[in-house]
């Protein structure tokens, strides 16, 4: 289930740790993972195989590969 990854640490394979999964928005045409970086910063990652490398349910880690522009845009 999508709630499963809420609270997971998000690690980008290039940048390193980029935040925590806040929630997964399934109301959109493309499912979006909302990542909180700190109190002020947040951004969305498309829930898509192009971006998601690994979901480690034992360590609660979501490994992603996202263009840096995507993090800086939001």
């Amino acid at each position: 289930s999508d709630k499963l990854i809420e609270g997971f640490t998000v690690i980008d394979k290039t940048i390193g740790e980029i935040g925590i999964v806040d929630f997964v928005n399934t109301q959109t045409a493309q499912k979006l993972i909302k990542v909180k970086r700190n109190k002020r910063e947040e951004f969305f990652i498309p829930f898509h195989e192009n971006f998601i490398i690994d979901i480690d349910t034992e360590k609660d880690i979501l490994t992603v590969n996202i263009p840096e522009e995507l993090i800086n845009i939001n």
Side-chain angles (χ1 to χ4, degrees):
S1 114
D2 300 315
K3 279 213 172 307
L4 191 73
I5 64 166
E6 285 180 12
F8 275 33
T9 300
V10 184
I11 298 179
D12 180 85
K13 76 177 187 113
T14 313
I15 308 167
E17 192 174 323
I18 51 174
I20 301 286
V21 176
D22 192 32
F23 71 86
V24 179
N25 186 347
T26 54
Q27 306 306 306
T28 43
Q30 162 97 60
K31 268 201 264 188
L32 292 172
I33 300 167
K34 181 179 170 199
V35 178
K36 269 184 110 57
R37 206 171 173 153
N38 52 41
K39 286 199 170 40
R40 290 176 309 283
E41 280 186 277
E42 54 192 35
F43 53 91
F44 292 89
I45 302 172
F47 204 122
H48 191 279
E49 60 193 20
N50 288 357
F51 299 104
I52 310 294
I53 295 173
D54 183 56
I55 299 174
D56 186 335
T57 51
E58 289 194 4
K59 297 190 183 131
D60 289 359
I61 291 173
L62 179 69
T63 307
V64 297
N65 182 22
I66 46 178
E68 242 174 297
E69 311 85 76
L70 204 69
I71 296 174
N72 300 331
I73 287 168
N74 299 295

